[in-house]
Amino acid sequence: MDAKRTHLVIAWVLGAFPLLADARVTVPPVQVPGVPPVDLPVDVNRTVSDTVRRLDPGKLTDMRLLKVRDLIRKHSEVIEADPQGAAIVRSEVLALPSSPAALEKARAAGFVVARERSLEGLETSLLVLRVPPGMSTRKALKKLRALDSSGTYDFNHVYTESGVVEPTPAGAAETNPSAATISGAADANVPVPARIGLIDSGVDVAHPVFRDASITTHGCGGQPVANAHGTAVASLMVGRSEKFRGAAPIAALYAADVYCGVPTGGAVDAVADALAWLARERVPIINVSLVGPANRMLENVVRIVVARGHLVIAAVGNDGPAAPPLYPAAYSGVVGVTAVDAKQRALLEAARGEQVDFAAPGADIAAAGSNQAYAAVRGTSFAAPIVAGLLVAEMPEPDAERAKVALATLARLAIDLGSPGLDTTYGHGLVGDTLRIELAAPTVLAK
């Protein structure tokens, strides 16, 4: 593979350039060990995985920043960068004033309440303040913190997905996973009705893998916008067909769409609203395959949710082993999940650190894709839902003490990888490897 084409494939896999998500790339002949040479790779995902492993780990953070910069460039009218380069909603500040008097001070300074998120279920609320005309968002945040030092104020950061779904070409509906017929006996210990939550982009509920699934949606004015990422993650949680099985296929899925197909999708106030909805519905396990910077408001909401006995499972991100922690996975009480490939090796791009609690399959696996088919996926986004699904049987209701027991039980079942005991690469070890399902046939990528 020539250098130019290699760089294009790498960028496409890691999601560094959104425009490549819909691209079609011609892949030259390759030799897959144990398989005769063919005109197309027998497993495109594994071929790309091998290419990614040759990347300089120090450059992985830069690749996500390129994606963020591209988002800001395309939608500069509504999105800008914070001082560290992270994406934020332009001219908005999240506010939790210390008192009604503090809010009046903000109004007197020219701030206007753009939206109020009443976080029912968490007994709190969140204000989105519009910045006064002529004032920068950065200056506005400083001013609000100076006016009310006891309140909580932060940017309305935009969180991004933590993995990529291989584009599925039209006419690929016959593409199936390679797995034995699923009997359903493995679900015997899962309580009914078990509930599991998802905060992501919209789910394509019409995909055959969800034919027998119970899915309740939230957000976007009741009209979620189906997206490849949310659909793939959901399938790894509750999807089921003759040859495909998610980690908890008989659980009822509560799926919150925080993107809704808009440029500012994934903003903190939408994520906070989704967390409040899941808490209100008493969904005990909540998967969040999104990543972003530390945010005071999100941290506050996550702390409340965890304290009420919910288990929040989050992808640790794909910025590489040298990158600083990403959130919400790095918040105290959140279960951070990394990803491994078919050889049980941590993905080169997966984050390392004390925020890693478990590892699960996140490459060389199939998930629900577009065109009623399946697709290869890669990233910590797709490991987190497997861990979430494995915890369903232990968590019928939100319960802080039971959550501790559930995590301890899962840790005892984990395959210890890397350094003996808890480590910063695999956490307690690998779980859910028997749920790995690969594509039986290649997804044809053509010009």
Side-chain angles (χ1 to χ4, degrees), residues 15-32:
F17 299 99
L19 62 91
L20 291 176
D22 297 321
R24 299 292 182 262
V25 181
T26 300
V27 184
V30 296
Q31 176 67 57
V32 179

Side-chain angles (χ1 to χ4, degrees), residues 73-445:
R73 179 184 61 81
K74 288 181 176 178
H75 306 287
S76 59
E77 73 283 0
V78 291
I79 301 177
E80 60 179 310
D82 75 358
Q84 284 70 49
I88 60 174
V89 180
R90 182 178 291 280
S91 300
E92 287 188 357
V93 176
L94 301 178
L96 186 59
S98 61
S99 66
L103 177 57
E104 288 308 311
K105 283 185 181 180
R107 284 187 167 128
F111 291 89
V112 176
V113 177
R115 296 185 299 284
E116 180 174 4
R117 296 277 193 179
S118 180
L119 305 182
E120 297 176 18
L122 300 181
E123 281 70 62
T124 188
S125 61
L126 174 63
L127 298 179
V128 180
L129 300 183
R130 174 68 59 182
V131 173
M135 184 182 293
S136 71
T137 313
R138 298 184 189 189
K139 184 177 179 180
L141 178 59
K142 290 180 180 179
K143 186 173 184 65
L144 285 167
R145 287 176 175 173
L147 286 171
D148 181 21
S149 59
S150 298
T152 304
Y153 300 89
D154 211 333
F155 295 116
N156 198 2
H157 283 108
V158 174
Y159 283 65
T160 58
E161 297 158 344
S162 186
V164 291
V165 182
E166 178 182 303
T168 308
E174 71 280 2
T175 303
N176 291 312
S178 56
T181 299
I182 303 300
S183 67
D187 298 325
N189 295 324
V190 178
V192 180
R195 285 160 292 161
I196 191 166
L198 172 64
I199 297 177
D200 210 293
S201 50
V203 177
D204 179 7
V205 296
H207 195 287
V209 81
F210 302 120
R211 182 176 293 116
D212 299 318
S214 170
I215 302 179
T216 302
T217 61
H218 174 78
C220 313
Q223 299 294 326
V225 181
N227 179 274
H229 190 273
T231 300
V233 172
S235 72
L236 293 168
M237 298 169 80
V238 302
R240 187 175 196 142
S241 68
E242 182 183 357
K243 293 187 176 182
F244 182 90
R245 180 185 187 277
I250 68 170
L253 178 66
Y254 288 71
D257 185 350
V258 296
Y259 285 93
C260 305
V262 300
T264 54
V268 169
D269 68 311
V271 176
D273 176 73
L275 284 165
W277 172 65
L278 291 167
R280 190 164 63 250
E281 296 291 336
R282 294 191 58 77
V283 177
I285 297 169
I286 301 169
N287 183 80
V288 188
S289 289
L290 312 177
V291 297
N295 182 280
R296 297 183 185 185
M297 205 67 63
L298 182 61
E299 181 179 14
N300 184 53
V301 173
V302 168
R303 185 190 307 114
I304 296 172
V305 170
V306 170
R308 295 191 174 206
H310 301 265
L311 270 176
V312 178
I313 317 299
V316 297
N318 308 316
D319 278 16
L326 292 171
Y327 299 85
Y331 286 133
S332 176
V334 175
V335 181
V337 182
T338 190
V340 301
D341 61 18
K343 295 182 179 179
Q344 299 186 346
R345 298 177 298 193
L347 302 192
L348 173 69
E349 67 268 28
R352 272 66 159 174
E354 294 182 357
Q355 72 275 25
V356 179
D357 294 298
F358 292 98
D364 310 317
I365 59 173
S370 59
N371 302 319
Q372 305 284 291
Y374 296 84
V377 296
R378 182 184 177 99
T380 58
S381 270
F382 310 107
I386 292 176
V387 172
L390 290 172
L391 289 165
V392 165
E394 303 296 327
M395 286 287 292
E397 292 288 337
D399 184 319
E401 290 305 313
R402 189 151 187 170
K404 294 177 184 178
V405 173
L407 292 175
T409 300
L410 191 62
R412 286 196 297 272
L413 297 174
I415 301 171
D416 193 9
L417 302 175
S419 302
L422 183 67
D423 64 64
T424 58
T425 300
Y426 300 98
H428 292 287
L430 172 63
V431 297
D433 203 46
T434 58
L435 293 172
R436 180 187 301 279
I437 299 173
E438 298 188 33
L439 289 180
T443 298
V444 179
L445 302 179

